[in-house]
Amino acid sequence: DAELDHESLHGGCPVLEGEKWAVNLWVWNRPREGAIIPRKEKGKGEAKPDGQIHFELQNNAGVPVEVFWLSPHGDNVKMGRIEVGEFLGFNSFESHQFGATEEGNPDMLWKHTVIAKDQGGVISVHRT
């Protein structure tokens, strides 16, 4: 159901002596090709059969921004940083929400809810 399982949140302790080994296994509730896509691979049209919507964000806010996925639980998950005029590509799903902040400022200066027509498009990040 794409809901965050708060029971899965965890942290690690620092290594005080010896070595520490870790392995991550990510499990997704839908097929996944990756969070960031090269610009040349974007396509136009409707959402892919698995529901993924590929789009790019372009920073037109006049300052570098940090982009966040806004989870339904109110958690902001940092997805990356975009310099002024630069692009960052995403694979996401309809109704997912993204926001952007000016670096060091927790207030959202921009928000967007993904819709099907975003597929293959460029979405402007700007001050609202």
Side-chain angles (χ1 to χ4, degrees):
D1 66 359
E3 295 294 317
L4 177 66
D5 182 354
H6 288 282
E7 298 298 318
S8 69
L9 299 176
H10 62 281
C13 296
V15 176
L16 301 177
E17 184 177 310
E19 294 181 352
K20 181 177 185 176
W21 290 63
V23 176
N24 288 328
L25 173 64
W26 295 96
V27 179
W28 300 95
N29 63 344
R30 296 183 179 102
R32 181 168 167 84
E33 295 173 20
I36 299 175
I37 57 173
R39 295 189 74 206
K40 64 182 180 181
E41 294 182 16
K42 68 181 185 174
K44 297 281 184 192
E46 299 176 4
K48 301 295 182 195
D50 63 6
Q52 283 193 54
I53 297 171
H54 308 279
F55 61 92
E56 290 183 289
L57 299 180
Q58 182 180 21
N59 180 0
N60 295 311
V63 295
V65 295
E66 294 180 334
V67 177
F68 296 86
W69 172 64
L70 310 178
S71 86
H73 301 285
D75 302 327
N76 296 340
V77 180
K78 186 175 177 182
M79 300 299 291
R81 184 174 192 271
I82 313 175
E83 295 293 332
V84 175
E86 295 295 319
F87 297 82
L88 186 59
F90 289 90
N91 294 332
S92 191
F93 295 92
E94 195 163 12
S95 81
H96 282 190
Q97 293 187 322
F98 289 85
T101 65
E102 190 172 336
E103 196 168 25
N105 183 344
D107 298 329
M108 290 290 159
L109 60 86
W110 170 89
K111 289 183 183 177
H112 178 75
T113 301
V114 176
I115 58 176
K117 76 176 190 175
D118 290 337
Q119 170 63 27
V122 175
I123 300 164
S124 176
V125 176
H126 53 276
R127 294 180 187 274
T128 54

